[in-house]
Amino acid sequence: MYTASKVFTCNSGTEANEAAIKFARKVGKTRTPSGDRHEIVSFHNSFHGRTMGALSATPNPKYQTPFSPMIPGFKYGTYNDEASIDDLVNEKTCGVIVEPIQGEGGVNVATSSFLQALRARCNEVGAVLIYDEIQCGLGRTGELWAHQFLPQSAHPDILTTAKALGNGFPIGATIVSEDVAQCVVTGDHGTTFGGNPLACRLAHYIMSRLSDPELHSSVRAMEQLFRQRFAKLQGTYPEHITEIRGRGLILGLQLAVDPTPVVTAARERGLLIITCGKNTLRFVPPLIISADEVEEGLGILEQAMAVAFEHPQKIAGTKGQQEMAPSGR
């Protein structure tokens, strides 16, 4: 984010996105005092958090329905659909929030042309562009930020981050441009523990590790190792594995069948994997994973798939991951 000017520090990813949404609303009020510019645009299959503002930007009934109605003023579009942008983002839009790579939604990668079109449309109508890199940022893609592959003309006005920023310690951050910062004054927003010395000192050190070019090079090398083994698996099970998606060490295998038997068989053999989206296996290993560890883990995955796809009767029944299971309500 070449226009980065100031940072609001908080305690989690959802707080970082709440701040981004509030800052976008404040920019809208500043630019259009009547309040007509107040809508927030997000996209289907996104995940931005569980607090009410971030949840309202997460159009997934599983998460929204138990806490409905949502906060008014949110609109949802189709990810990577450039043709719909002009109607979706208009003079009532104060902000657009988007993940350069959707994690929870299925490891869906935004195209460069889609993000550039969003940036251009935000410029036309005076809306703030927010990139949520809470899961896909901080070295996960083989660069410090997932949007670094874009030209500067497509960079955001606000960037949110958390997760890896604290390496297990609670901290989040909302990075803003000077144009956004000028609209936010003391008292507009705050958080009790945000910016505390311990969290910030930890994050300062962790950033020095996560910004290491050697780490990024290793991430890209491990990606290629994953992809080679994934391609082999897809060749073995072409009817079951339909697509390989992602970048760096946020990767997804799209299955044509329920992934629960694979997850179960892998767990029984000592490998923990998770799902996302619809029938997608998600791989987000530690950024420092070694080639030997990748080979060992994918060897177990290969065994699990052989059982799940060829001998499913040998896998005991399971409810699978409760986090990903549909709500019974």
Side-chain angles (χ1 to χ4, degrees):
M1 179 178 169
Y2 82 102
T3 59
S5 174
K6 292 182 172 60
V7 181
F8 172 79
T9 52
C10 52
N11 310 287
S12 66
T14 194
E15 283 186 73
N17 282 337
E18 290 284 345
I21 290 167
K22 287 183 69 176
F23 295 164
R25 281 272 176 93
K26 185 64 188 297
V27 171
K29 286 286 184 69
T30 301
R31 294 176 177 174
T32 308
S34 67
D36 289 342
R37 189 190 301 271
H38 69 278
E39 292 182 344
I40 301 289
V41 169
S42 63
F43 295 90
H44 292 291
N45 297 315
S46 64
F47 183 85
H48 298 293
R50 299 174 188 270
T51 49
M52 286 306 293
L55 183 60
S56 297
T58 302
N60 186 329
K62 180 177 66 177
Y63 297 124
Q64 288 188 344
T65 300
F67 307 101
S68 60
M70 294 294 102
I71 296 172
F74 286 79
K75 294 173 60 178
Y76 310 129
T78 301
Y79 198 68
N80 277 335
D81 182 3
E82 295 175 43
S84 67
I85 289 176
D86 284 356
D87 290 334
L88 186 67
V89 182
N90 53 49
E91 286 71 19
K92 291 185 177 181
T93 306
C94 67
V96 177
I97 184 167
V98 62
E99 299 161 274
I101 301 177
Q102 292 182 329
E104 179 83 2
V107 192
N108 305 308
V109 181
T111 64
S112 176
S113 59
F114 174 67
L115 294 177
Q116 290 183 66
L118 273 181
R119 173 75 275 176
R121 183 58 175 164
C122 285
N123 291 344
E124 289 175 3
V125 302
V128 170
L129 181 60
I130 305 162
Y131 285 169
D132 175 347
E133 294 209 15
I134 291 166
Q135 183 168 158
C136 64
L138 293 178
R140 177 60 55 185
T141 61
E143 299 289 349
L144 182 60
W145 300 113
H147 71 272
Q148 280 186 225
F149 73 98
L150 296 169
Q152 288 187 350
S153 59
H155 282 206
D157 303 294
I158 300 178
L159 178 66
T160 59
T161 184
K163 292 192 186 297
L165 184 61
N167 199 34
F169 196 86
I171 186 170
T174 308
I175 306 167
V176 303
S177 68
E178 185 60 29
D179 286 344
V180 173
Q182 288 178 354
C183 297
V184 181
V185 300
T186 302
D188 277 346
H189 193 52
T191 178
T192 301
F193 297 108
N196 72 79
L198 176 57
C200 290
R201 183 64 187 91
L202 281 168
H204 182 272
Y205 171 73
I206 292 161
M207 280 295 293
S208 73
R209 296 287 302 274
L210 294 176
S211 58
D212 183 355
E214 291 188 8
L215 176 65
H216 301 162
S217 178
S218 176
V219 168
R220 293 191 294 269
M222 293 306 101
E223 175 192 3
Q224 295 310 309
L225 189 54
F226 268 100
R227 286 186 175 276
Q228 289 167 13
R229 292 294 295 272
F230 286 164
K232 179 182 176 183
L233 285 170
Q234 188 176 30
T236 304
Y237 304 108
E239 295 182 357
H240 294 83
I241 302 173
T242 61
E243 188 179 4
I244 302 166
R245 294 194 295 267
R247 182 182 299 125
L249 289 178
I250 176 169
L251 298 168
L253 276 184
Q254 183 61 51
L255 304 187
V257 296
D258 179 8
T260 301
V262 177
V263 172
T264 302
R267 184 175 65 245
E268 290 172 347
R269 288 157 178 77
L271 177 68
L272 296 178
I273 51 178
I274 58 176
T275 61
C276 60
K278 183 177 181 181
N279 296 340
T280 305
L281 294 174
R282 175 170 38 171
F283 299 84
V284 281
L287 302 185
I288 57 171
I289 193 169
S290 68
D292 287 343
E293 290 167 332
V294 172
E295 292 286 3
E296 180 182 1
L298 292 181
I300 297 173
L301 178 65
E302 187 173 346
Q303 296 172 21
M305 285 187 170
V307 173
F309 296 155
E310 298 173 17
H311 308 285
Q313 70 278 5
K314 293 185 179 181
I315 301 174
T318 178
K319 291 183 179 180
Q321 296 171 266
Q322 296 309 303
E323 172 68 13
M324 305 306 298
S327 171
R329 295 180 178 86

